Amino acid sequence: MSKITGKTKLLGIIGDPLKHSLSPVIHNAAISYLGVDYIYVPFPLKPKDLTTAIAGFSSIGIVGFNVTIPHKQAIIPFLSETTPTAQLVGAVNTVWRTKTGWKGTNTDIDGFLSPLQSLQRDWANLTPIILGNGGAARAVVVGLAQLGCLKIHVVGRDRQKLWQFAQSWKNTQLTATLRIYFWDELSEIIEETELLINTTPIGMFPNINDSPMESILFARMPENAIVYDLIYTPNPTQFLKNAQQQGLITIDGLEMLIQQGAVALQFWLQKTVPVDVMTQSLQDYLNLQ
Ligand code: NAP
């Protein structure tokens, strides 16, 4: 790690809990490689302390910070400006200081899109299925619309939350049309999709044997289908293992995690960041666990 001096500038992440956050690992690896005078630290923060903390951040001159659960929406009233992408998602994960106050954006979309952008597909006609309708699903919806998808299926378990999710996009700039389904309807739509994305935490450590979808359903997907899991521990998840057994293309959550961080760091440092160094630091860290 670089030497901390009286001139070292502060970056960090707010959230609760933060013990398992891998952001300090990837950001400090990049900072160290670039030799810039910054440090990235975790700031565990309860919702009741958000107001005090943000006032404090202004006072002590923090340059920028990431925002994670449960503050991604709650942070918005504290910002003087948000990017159109953050407004569409309704959540902010990256904040930086401007002359007029804090500005926020959402780099989860950049992260999510990164592994898909190199694939040649007819995005307009491919009708992806999103499993889950929480915070990450919102970034996925906006990302898929940016990719060119015109119709998106969303599968959820809670009637009211699912309906609210669909309603929340009405009268927005979203260019895709959403249709909502319950889990027991998944088997009726699975054959149509070339892109299936898990945005639920099902299968995440320590519940590593769980999967959000029955393994027999993978056999009914088109043979060139892509199966994407936002989870990055374990790697691969049971969901992705089942898809691999069927010969489908799989994408795990690691690249999304690294790319959302890389884009955030670029905002703060205003320079190109070493994505390969960030990736290596994460792989080294996870291999040591
Ligand atoms: P969230 O806001 O809590 O949303 C989770 C969604 O999953 C909700 O729709 C929830 O349904 C659903 N769900 C949870 N347990 C379920 C179950 N047993 N059966 C059916 N549905 C279930 O969480 P999030 O922030 O979107 O994060 C979701 C996952 O994405 C996490 O595993 C997170 O680590 C991962 N993620 C990864 C990255 C990355 O960089 N790779 C970025 C963001 C998130 P209800 O609303 O009905 O409870």
Side-chain angles (χ1 to χ4, degrees):
M1 193 185 286
S2 319
K3 216 174 218 171
I4 299 173
T5 70
K7 291 181 290 181
T8 303
K9 297 188 189 76
L10 262 180
L11 298 169
I13 177 166
I14 59 167
D16 178 42
L18 272 187
K19 271 192 205 143
H20 301 290
S21 173
L22 299 173
S23 294
V25 175
I26 59 173
H27 285 293
N28 285 316
I31 286 167
S32 182
Y33 177 86
L34 290 168
V36 289
D37 198 3
Y38 285 80
I39 182 107
Y40 183 103
V41 286
F43 298 112
L45 186 65
K46 299 275 180 216
K48 67 175 176 54
D49 296 322
L50 187 60
T51 308
T52 324
I54 302 305
F57 279 9
S58 299
S59 313
I60 62 174
I62 286 190
V63 175
F65 56 95
N66 280 131
V67 184
T68 189
I69 290 172
H71 307 303
K72 282 186 175 186
Q73 288 166 322
I75 191 71
I76 294 173
F78 296 91
L79 309 175
S80 60
E81 208 182 332
T82 46
T83 59
T85 319
Q87 286 163 24
L88 197 51
V89 179
V92 160
N93 80 327
T94 301
V95 175
W96 66 99
R97 181 186 292 283
T98 70
K99 282 187 183 130
T100 53
W102 298 107
K103 181 166 179 177
T105 192
N106 192 310
T107 67
D108 283 335
I109 297 156
D110 306 271
F112 167 70
L113 286 178
S114 178
L116 293 175
Q117 271 156 340
S118 55
L119 301 173
Q120 297 300 320
R121 293 295 167 110
D122 178 12
W123 299 112
N125 293 306
L126 135 169
T127 314
I129 297 177
I130 303 175
L131 304 178
N133 53 282
R138 297 195 67 82
V140 169
V141 165
V142 174
L144 291 172
Q146 284 185 6
L147 207 52
C149 298
L150 296 176
K151 275 195 296 176
I152 300 170
H153 293 331
V154 180
V155 178
R157 62 175 172 178
D158 182 303
R159 180 179 295 271
Q160 190 161 359
K161 283 187 192 168
L162 202 47
W163 186 81
Q164 280 169 350
F165 187 87
Q167 289 297 311
S168 70
W169 304 99
K170 296 251 159 81
N171 304 319
T172 69
Q173 305 286 320
L174 190 77
T175 48
T177 309
L178 253 61
R179 274 195 73 175
I180 52 175
Y181 297 88
F182 294 112
W183 285 93
D184 55 4
E185 295 172 302
L186 180 56
S187 62
E188 292 161 29
I189 54 172
I190 198 74
E191 281 166 19
E192 298 166 27
T193 195
E194 274 179 58
L195 176 57
L196 173 68
I197 304 145
N198 176 37
T199 74
T200 77
I202 305 170
M204 191 163 78
F205 182 83
N207 304 311
I208 59 171
N209 295 321
D210 294 352
S211 170
M213 190 171 95
E214 280 178 275
S215 55
I216 49 162
L217 288 184
F218 289 103
R220 292 176 41 199
M221 295 181 71
E223 58 183 22
N224 65 342
I226 304 161
V227 179
Y228 192 156
D229 199 339
L230 265 49
I231 296 172
Y232 45 83
T233 46
N235 184 12
T237 53
Q238 188 60 50
F239 178 66
L240 292 188
K241 280 186 198 166
N242 294 346
Q244 280 162 1
Q245 271 165 13
Q246 207 53 50
L248 304 176
I249 298 165
T250 57
I251 300 174
D252 60 55
L254 273 184
E255 189 172 338
M256 175 171 175
L257 177 74
I258 291 158
Q259 288 292 343
Q260 62 77 29
V263 176
L265 193 59
Q266 229 159 304
F267 272 116
W268 298 322
L269 302 185
Q270 291 295 304
K271 60 163 69 192
T272 308
V273 300
V275 176
D276 48 345
V277 170
M278 297 170 95
T279 307
Q280 191 59 52
S281 70
L282 192 58
Q283 276 163 356
D284 292 347
Y285 181 82
L286 292 173
N287 288 339
L288 289 175
Q289 293 295 294

